[in-house]
Amino acid sequence: EVIGEIASGAANAEAAAALGIGQKTVEHHLARMFARYGVATRTELVMLALREGWVRPRLAGGLVPR
């Protein structure tokens, strides 16, 4: 869900609000995903998510989780 929000262009605070969690929780999830998947940026994480099919493009703009 965090990747889906980030992929749609949401900032950490916006993703947190949309998911009903704290901004620090979003940051924690991102840090863990960066380490787990060997990426250094949000862009690399989103590109990986697209390649792996974790999120898919939405016609109206943005991305949605699969």
Side-chain angles (χ1 to χ4, degrees):
E1 292 174 329
V2 171
I3 294 175
E5 289 296 323
I6 298 305
S8 70
N12 290 355
E14 295 168 326
L19 298 172
I21 59 177
Q23 184 173 340
K24 289 288 185 185
T25 303
V26 170
E27 292 168 6
H28 178 75
H29 285 307
L30 289 173
R32 288 187 52 124
M33 287 186 276
F34 288 173
R36 182 175 192 170
Y37 300 114
V39 298
T41 67
R42 295 159 61 100
T43 302
E44 289 177 309
L45 181 61
V46 170
M47 291 179 67
L48 174 64
L50 284 167
R51 275 195 312 272
E52 295 296 323
W54 302 336
V55 293
R56 57 189 166 90
R58 189 177 6 178
L59 291 177
L63 302 167
V64 293
R66 252 200 188 171

